[in-house]
Amino acid sequence: MRGIVLGFFLLLISFNSERAFAGTVTMPSTLTTDTTDFVLLSSSGTTPSISGYTGTLLLSAVASDGNIKVTSVTSLMRAAGYCSYTNDNANEPSNCTGSSLTEIGFRGTQDNINNALATLSFKGDGTAGSPTITVSVTPVGTNYFSGNGHYYEIVQSNGIDWDDAKTAAEASTYEGLTGYLVTITSAAENSFVSGKINKNAWMGASDNSSYTSNTHATTEGTWEWVSGPENGKTFTCQPSGQGRGAVAAHEDCEVHSDTTYENWDGSEPNDCCDSGIENIGDEDYLHIKANGKWNDYDIDTTVNYYIIEYGGMPGETATSTGQTTLTINSTEASDSTYNAFDDKQVKGMVDAQTEHAKRFMFNTTNQVMRRMEQFRRVGINKSTSIKDVRLVLADKQNNFKDHIPPELLNYYIDEYKNLSTENINNLISELPLSKYLKENFGITKNNWAFWTAGSINKGRLSFGTDNDLGITNRTEGYIIGTDVNYNDGSLFGIAFRHEDDRTNLGTKDSTRFLARSDSISLYNTWHGSEKNFIDSFLGYGETTYDTTRLVDTSNPSNVVKGEFKANQIFTSIKYNFKHFYKNLKIHNYSRFDFGFVDFDGYSETGDSNSKLKFDGRYLQTSSISLGSAIEREINLPTSLFIPYLKVDFNKDLTDGSDIKANFVGETTKYNTTIDKNFNSMFILETGFDWVFRDGWNIKSVISRLDKNGFGHENMFELRAVKSTQSLY
């Protein structure tokens, strides 16, 4: 472990004797730690502990930067909103022992909590500034938010309306603090309340003149906080047409500078219609949903919960000896060991981008290779009527027009929008490739056939750098191809492919990216002899990435975003040897894949000092595969059924890819090498070709890719070819 002396810890314990608990919190004043491993706070010579408390307590600890954990949770109980738990229960909170947490919380007696605090550990992440660890101890039933120093209490009262909830909240006190229906004025506070409360509950806002303070003739649509320290401050000026019968706010409505935050759901507020159409315009009272979104209800609507907030009223300060802040005067950021890529969200993002680029090239190559395998099983490839595949081009669900380059679409597709056999032949004749093949090889339009395929891939990969962070992906793609049979069993073709990929990192779904990829490829299978043939492939692709990166794990809404492109050139060559055993046909093969990816540089955007500017980078990939496929022909009354089984071993030969980045507005460069996450993978694939006498050829594929212990991917593919002649 590389030790770094982080300086002195400043212990700040502030309290108000009229509102303070009787207990105290003890924390260390010095600590030696680093960014590579967790260090026990007790190693400082002072063991964290609490004293002077009675009853069942809620303890929470929050690190502003870096990670914290406890390793002993004996006899503790789970607390809703902490360590991924949604409900209070007696089970021990095992999730509070993870290595990627910025917040932990649990319930227990003083003695049980002290046993856990003795194992409290911290690991820095290299963030500049002075990270803090905030520990709060409160009686069970309240939650402390360090962002504003307020307490929050969820009260269950089945069938309570808003007016009664407001009255009850304002009659409540907590440690000398006056209660009020909750007022939420920031995204961080909303995230805290929804995460800890997680109920459909009343909030302290209205646009009803009986409660609002404005003097407009029309108060409808002017939403004010009507409780707490924000009483009388407008936060929403409702627009017209928001819902059936919704009334726009008065033209003089103006949002108060202190209360600009709002989190309305969908087209809310809409003044409609909890108790029937007759109540249009009567939804005047605010509540928060379990997902954190806001909605308006009418006065007759009842819910089962309301939220009381304590703190911030004139003359009141919601602090106590139960709230302790440990300030770390960190030197990590200026130390030579600091690297922005130590942040696993940053490293994970570029790791996942690398894996996506490899996955896109691999999947595209495989789909085309399967077309050549399909052709060899059937053996004949005649001209196809385009009317049988025109639906693929016209399918709005596939968003075909959004995926194909406009110049190609406008010139060819729009010109031949009324597809028929005649004009599609004219289309093919005008293609530069068709003219070249006709002039040099005598291949004409009438020799071409058309095919299409769609695929769905789902997978998961755990990064070797951090087993707690992995990626999950879902990919949907389709491909359209055309090819020609020439020279007694050889095939030449061209294919267009599009895919949409969504990749999530970790468990929070806050770091993720969307990838939209298009490619064009040329392919050829050369039948050199009866038993030997060679498949070759050349492709070019372009991918657009939309990234969202979490910069504060304690606040899922604190993200930065980016957008950039990557270009790929990739090729594959495959040598095949076939032989027969009884009624089985066996294909053995070896294959080599090579690819080159050019990632554009980009700068992240968002309200954060953690925005990064990434330099462009290059990735060179290569792999070699060995495999075998077994198939059997089964003659049915009106069709030919050909099931097959294929096994494949793939060795990844890819070298590492270097990447550099700096914080936006700064010049210091950080760099790392993105290595491959797995060295090999084993592929098991099964499927069938089903050939009908009317010329249809249907292919189905299911495959499983196991990636050397780091994860897997499952794939399903369905494709169709239509010939104008019988295929057998």
Side-chain angles (χ1 to χ4, degrees), residues 371-379 381 485 489-491 525:
R371 165 56 185 157
M372 290 184 276
E373 295 171 1
Q374 182 187 31
F375 162 72
R376 286 193 296 273
R377 291 190 183 102
V378 175
N381 188 36
N485 178 12
S490 298
L491 188 75
T525 181

Side-chain angles (χ1 to χ4, degrees), residues 113-130:
I113 288 175
N114 280 333
N115 290 334
L117 287 177
T119 68
L120 181 62
S121 304
F122 172 81
K123 182 178 73 172
D125 62 2
T127 301
S130 298

